[in-house]
Each structure stands twice: as structure tokens, then as C-alpha cells.
Amino acid sequence: MTSTDGNYLFEGRGEREIVMAFSFDAPPERVFEAWNDTSGMGNWYGPEGHELIVAEQDFRVGGSWRYGTRDESGEETTLYGVYQEIEPGSRMVNTEIFAGMPDFETTVTVTFEVEGAGTRMTSVVLHPVRESRDGAMAWGMEAGVRQTFERFAAHLAATQR
């Protein structure tokens, strides 16, 4: 499955990867900083109708993070992991575990690249097995990711310095 509109990309690649990308109207350093600032996450994290209920992080290599949301029906979703690499303004790598499926740890690599006057943020999620990747894609991940990226773009625009 591939979804793209020029500004947005969501696709399965190979046997175990999901690639997501979005273009933002801000420089890479600003996008990186805002993406990792838990104080503003309640404005954009998660799909429409989801409330951020947990945003904890120790933003350093070896530090852990945990983000959780609650949807309108009361269902909670929590993700957590550990930062493996951090290159401020350009790249980060972390593990990610969905609390509902703790046996499937993924590795997420996010890059922040100059694109014109803005930034192309690309996230590559490497799953341990194809079934894990296919399950995430079938679960409706694509719609939630797109809404999160769009909400984040609006947050960036509203908080421009």
C-alpha cells in the first residue's frame, strides 16, 4: 500500500519497513526541536479525536520515552522505547513498542532534511517480522500518521518565531 500526494508519503517497503514522510514549512532545526518538545505535544500528537495523556521523555542516547493517547471512546494507546542515536536537527533513532503488542519492538529512524525553504521529515519503521509490519498497516496506521503530520504542521505554523 502506498499513499502519496507530493507533500505526504506512506508506504510499505521491502519485507519489514514502513516509510512515512511529510514536508514542513520550517527549517530542519525547528522541526526537530518542535517534534521532540513534549510541552507542545498536546496540540498535535495523535490523530484527530485523540487526547495526549502521557508525554514523558529523557531525550538523550539511552534515555527512554513514553507517549499515550485516549480516543473519544476512552480507548488508550501507549507507545514507548529508548533513544539509540540523536543528531540534533538532522537524525534520530529509537526503539518503539506498542504497549498492546510488547513482543514486537521496532526501530524507528527519523531524518530531517532541507527541502527548499523547509524540511522533509522521513520516518522509517523497521519491524522485526513482516507480519508485524503488515498488521500495523492493516490496523489503520496510515490515517493516524497523516492526521498527526497535518496537526504537527499546523502547530509549527502557529508557533513560528
Side-chain angles (χ1 to χ4, degrees):
M1 168 206 208
T2 298
S3 179
T4 184
D5 69 6
N7 186 45
Y8 171 75
L9 169 74
F10 181 95
E11 71 178 4
R13 282 194 190 156
E15 293 285 314
R16 302 183 300 143
E17 291 182 341
I18 298 174
V19 179
M20 302 161 284
F22 200 89
S23 296
F24 299 100
D25 292 328
E29 297 78 15
R30 172 76 178 111
V31 175
F32 181 92
E33 178 185 310
W35 187 257
N36 294 294
D37 178 5
T38 57
S39 69
M41 259 182 203
N43 296 320
W44 62 266
Y45 186 83
E48 292 291 333
H50 285 238
E51 171 192 9
L52 183 67
I53 57 172
V54 176
E56 301 169 347
Q57 69 177 0
D58 178 7
F59 193 59
R60 62 178 175 82
V61 173
S64 63
W65 63 274
R66 176 182 294 274
Y67 306 144
T69 62
R70 181 181 302 118
D71 70 15
E72 294 161 333
S73 72
E75 184 176 341
E76 295 183 3
T77 301
T78 302
L79 300 167
Y80 60 94
V82 174
Y83 295 105
Q84 297 177 321
E85 298 175 37
I86 299 172
E87 296 174 28
S90 64
R91 183 173 188 270
M92 53 189 270
V93 179
N94 59 267
T95 60
E96 181 176 274
I97 298 171
F98 169 55
M101 297 178 66
D103 295 335
F104 292 101
E105 179 179 87
T106 63
T107 300
V108 181
T109 302
V110 184
T111 56
F112 302 79
E113 298 175 306
V114 173
E115 181 181 69
T119 301
R120 183 71 167 179
M121 186 176 85
T122 303
S123 179
V124 179
V125 181
L126 177 63
H127 284 258
V129 294
R130 181 182 192 132
E131 294 77 16
S132 169
R133 190 274 314 258
D134 291 351
M137 292 179 72
W139 181 59
M141 179 182 179
E142 194 256 333
V145 167
R146 183 181 194 114
Q147 289 174 14
T148 297
F149 284 167
E150 289 170 350
R151 292 178 68 198
F152 181 66
H155 172 74
L156 275 174
T159 58
Q160 285 290 3
R161 298 180 211 163

